[in-house]
Structures are given as structure tokens and as C-alpha cells.
Amino acid sequence: MVVEAPSHGLLAILTLRETRRFVRERHGRMMAAFFAVVFALVSMWVGEMLILTPLHVTPYAGILWSPGTNPQWWNYPGILVVGGWGVLDLPFLPTWTMIFVSIGVGIGISAAVLLAIELVRMRRSGAARSTAIGSGVGLTPAMIALVTLGACCSTGAAAAAGIGAVAQTTGSTTYTLVANSWYLSLFQVVVMGIALIAQEQLLFVTRGIFARAGVDRDSPALAAPAPLDRRFLVGAILRVALLVGGITWSLAMVADWITIPPQSASAAIWFSWGIQYQLPALLAILVALFPSAIHRGFTTLARSWSLVLRSALLVAGLSLVTWVPPPISSWGIYGIGNEILGMLGLPAGWGAVVPLTTDGLTVALRWGFQYLLVGGFAIAFALLAARALLPLEWSAGWVGAGSPSSPEPSARLVVIDSPASPPSAASAGGVRTP
């Protein structure tokens, strides 16, 4: 008989079906709630939404409304509670951001703990195989959230390390982000959402680990993860780097809105936002999350649309990794070459553009992850799409279903008919068993 590999469509990924199933079936709901509450409390404390200090005041609780002249409209309506124990300040947008991020962190840490327990049990029983892939699956959202801990909360948290990290990865400044705290909320929501999607895919792959150990017997066909070899590590590292570069480069466009209102931006600025920022950034994010699906979709794309997409990516990539001549560079369309000239103090007549911030770490992250990595991958994809995607697919795919680039079955993953049976021979249509 032929057994198809389990499906994991876009709707399942966006709704975190596998993550929710994993936590629910291992009785991790209370654990997720515990970690979410703890993270929320710590985040409020770091962000100064919660101040615990003895006060000699009359207890007060009320709703704060915007006076109409306050430019930080996203903080209203808010809740203010004052008592002898301290102050609780809950501005509108930061509070909802904190709730979303805390839920994501709770689910992420719970999945990591539960997965680690299962892997330890399997290793002790001698059933573990290629388990290193799953050891840190659930930690992805938690680690990203901890990096920006407190950044979504009070504007008084200017000294929080998270705000500096966001500023460095988006090419902005700490002062600008503190004055426009809505961007910090947007940054955390986007990053947390993508991190949860990445975790969802990794958890789906690790179902094969539990199938071999007899832990998960729900599905008729499950996959075992690829062995942790050199090619897998290269592919995984490249996907993570593209994901980081793509997210931060896409959000850097939104950071520009702080100083350049979209409604008053010129056509050249909109060209830069659309072609230089979003096109290569979205490509980097999509290929990092769905390399095989993007490969299949691109091969079936009409020739005319493929040519248009390749041309636009080539223009975007070249403009980022090279130098844009004046006066175009003065219009807001420039690349790493222009910023290098600006850092050297050369005149604008040479196309020099001084970056918004000249902090060494910020510039290094911007040039390395955004200009060179995201822009360079856009060029590689425009010229040789299949070869550009090949390293990414070393850490993704299903054996037995074939790879998009080759009709031959892959040897990196095995689909097994049942947890109790040994791996069977794979074919392009599924898994054949006697």
C-alpha cells in the first residue's frame, strides 16, 4: 500500500496546530500558563509598568484618557493603579503586546521543556536518533522575547537592553524608539509571530522522533528528522541568518516612518521601501521558513512573471550590495557603497550617504545581515534560483515525497509506515510496504 506523508498546510502552520497539539497532549497547559504569567510579570517589572515600592498615598484606580495633545496616542486609554505596594501602569498598546508576547513565550518554553523530557526518555531507552534537532525547538520564541524583554512596556525603560537591541538591528536610535514606543510593540509582535511559525514547522518534523520511540501513534505516516551532519548545519544556519536579516530589514522600513511620514514620502522613497526593503526582505523570510514550498511555487510560476520577479530582485540586490550614483543616492535610494563613502567623510557629490547612526555594532549588523546577506541572496535567487535554494533545503524536506529539484527520492528523511515497523523504501509517491 502507499501511505502519503502527513500534510501540514499553511492554515495549520498559521494556527500553530502542531505546537498546540504537542503541549495539549502532554498536559502542558498549566506549564504554559505559568511561564506566560512569569514572563508578563518580569516584563512589566523591567519595563517599569509595575513598580513595587512602599508608598504613603491614598489608593487609586482609574482609566487614563488622552488629553488630545499627547502625541503618544497609542498608550490610551490606559489603566493606572496606585497603592501602598507601588504602581501598576497599563498603557493600551503595550499591554496588549505584552499579553501576546507572554502567551507566545509560555507556549515556547513549555514546548521546549516537554520536548526535552521526551528526548531524555528516548535516549535512556536507546530509541533516540538524530534528536539534536529537537533539543532547542521550543526555545526559539523564548530566546527572541528575552532579547527584547521590557522593550514593549513603558517609555521610561530607556535603559532597557532590549530597546538598544531593537535599535541596533533596525538601524535606528534608542532615543527615537523611546519617543515612538509603538514601533517596539510592532517589532515584538512580528518577531514573536514568525518565531512561533518557525517552531511550529520544527515540531512537525520532530514527530518522527516520537514515532520511532512509540510516543506518538496518532498519525499513519510520520517523518524522522534528517541526521545532524555538516550540510544540515550549514542549511540551518543560513536559514536562521536569512530569517533574522529579512525580519529586521523589513521592519527597518517601518522605522523610517518615524522620521519620514508615509503620506509625505516621495516616489523615490516609496521605490526604496518597496523594492529595496520589502521585496528582498520578504524573499529572505519566505525562503527561510518555507524553502521547499518556495522552490516548488517558483518552478510553476509563469515565465513572464518569473522574469519580472527576477529582474526586480536583481535591481534590489545590486542597489543594496553596490553603489548608487548621484543624484539618485540623494533621493533616498542607496546601498552599502554609499554608506561606506559617508562613513569615510566623502562628499555627497560622490554619492556618499551618512547612516542615521554611526554606532559600530549597529552599522556592522546593518551591513552584514541586511545589505550583504539579504541583498546578496536576492541577486543569487534572481540569477540561479535553484542553486540559491539548494543549501536551504538541506535542512528541510520529506523523504519519499521527492525533492523539488530532483525526481529521485531523498535519503535525508525517512517516512515510516508505523511506529512499530522499520523504515521502508521510499518512492516519489509515498512509502511502499509489503
Side-chain angles (χ1 to χ4, degrees):
M1 87 180 156
V2 177
V3 181
E4 296 293 336
S7 61
H8 197 224
L10 181 61
L11 180 61
I13 294 174
L14 295 179
T15 57
L16 307 178
R17 183 183 66 186
E18 187 64 26
T19 303
R20 291 184 290 106
R21 182 195 68 84
F22 184 84
V23 174
R24 181 178 64 252
E25 291 185 356
R26 284 155 182 82
H27 309 289
R29 293 178 177 175
M30 291 302 297
M31 185 186 299
F34 170 77
F35 284 124
V37 171
V38 170
F39 180 86
L41 292 174
V42 174
S43 184
M44 286 192 295
W45 177 69
V46 172
E48 298 183 2
M49 295 174 73
L50 176 63
I51 302 176
L52 299 176
T53 183
L55 296 176
H56 301 284
V57 296
T58 302
Y60 168 81
I63 298 178
L64 301 179
W65 300 94
S66 173
T69 57
N70 194 319
Q72 297 183 337
W73 50 268
W74 52 86
N75 290 325
Y76 300 95
I79 298 176
L80 179 64
V81 180
V82 181
W85 46 266
V87 178
L88 176 64
D89 181 16
L90 298 176
F92 183 79
L93 181 60
T95 300
W96 284 108
T97 301
M98 180 194 60
I99 293 173
F100 174 82
V101 173
S102 298
I103 293 173
V105 170
I107 294 175
I109 296 181
S110 300
V113 172
L114 294 170
L115 183 59
I117 293 174
E118 297 292 355
L119 294 179
V120 169
R121 288 176 179 174
M122 292 168 57
R123 188 171 297 278
R124 288 178 177 176
S125 64
R129 176 181 180 272
S130 301
T131 57
I133 183 180
S135 59
V137 166
L139 290 175
T140 305
M143 289 186 295
I144 293 177
L146 290 173
V147 169
T148 54
L149 180 65
C152 65
C153 300
S154 173
T155 56
I163 298 181
V166 176
Q168 288 170 348
T169 54
T170 56
S172 185
T173 64
T174 301
Y175 175 80
T176 301
L177 293 183
V178 169
N180 297 270
S181 57
W182 62 266
Y183 180 79
L184 299 171
S185 297
L186 174 65
F187 185 91
Q188 281 207 322
V189 167
V190 172
V191 171
M192 178 57 63
I194 294 179
L196 288 172
I197 291 174
Q199 173 185 268
E200 168 72 12
Q201 292 184 286
L202 289 172
L203 272 175
F204 182 69
V205 172
T206 57
R207 291 177 64 184
I209 297 175
F210 305 117
R212 284 184 172 265
V215 175
D216 186 353
R217 301 177 180 271
D218 296 337
S219 178
L222 296 166
L228 192 63
D229 57 14
R230 185 179 302 175
R231 292 208 309 170
F232 182 92
L233 286 176
V234 171
I237 292 173
L238 181 57
R239 289 175 66 184
V240 171
L242 283 172
L243 188 61
V244 172
I247 293 173
T248 55
W249 188 233
S250 177
L251 292 175
M253 179 199 75
V254 186
D256 284 351
W257 293 355
I258 297 175
T259 55
I260 306 175
Q263 64 273 15
S264 60
S266 64
I269 294 296
W270 273 107
F271 175 88
S272 176
W273 287 342
I275 302 300
Q276 282 193 304
Y277 281 80
Q278 294 306 318
L279 186 61
L282 292 178
L283 173 69
I285 294 172
L286 291 176
V287 298
L289 293 174
F290 318 105
S292 299
I294 295 299
H295 195 166
R296 289 192 297 269
F298 189 76
T299 55
T300 59
L301 192 64
R303 182 177 179 83
S304 57
W305 285 106
S306 174
L307 181 61
V308 171
L309 179 60
R310 286 174 180 264
S311 300
L313 286 170
L314 185 61
V315 170
L318 289 175
S319 66
L320 290 176
V321 304
T322 59
W323 167 82
V324 177
I328 300 178
S329 58
S330 63
W331 300 344
I333 304 174
Y334 53 86
I336 187 174
N338 303 91
E339 290 199 354
I340 291 175
L341 295 180
M343 293 284 287
L344 294 175
L346 296 175
W350 290 25
V353 175
V354 179
L356 179 63
T357 175
T358 56
D359 175 73
L361 180 59
T362 303
V363 171
L365 291 172
R366 182 178 177 88
W367 289 357
F369 278 93
Q370 298 169 353
Y371 281 109
L372 296 180
L373 180 61
V374 175
F377 185 84
I379 296 174
F381 187 90
L383 298 178
L384 299 168
R387 293 188 179 183
L389 289 171
L390 181 60
L392 306 179
E393 294 180 290
W394 289 343
S395 60
W398 291 91
V399 164
S403 65
S405 56
S406 172
E408 299 298 328
S410 170
R412 298 184 59 74
L413 293 176
V414 276
V415 179
I416 56 180
D417 184 53
S418 69
S421 64
S424 57
S427 66
V431 179
R432 298 189 180 276
T433 58

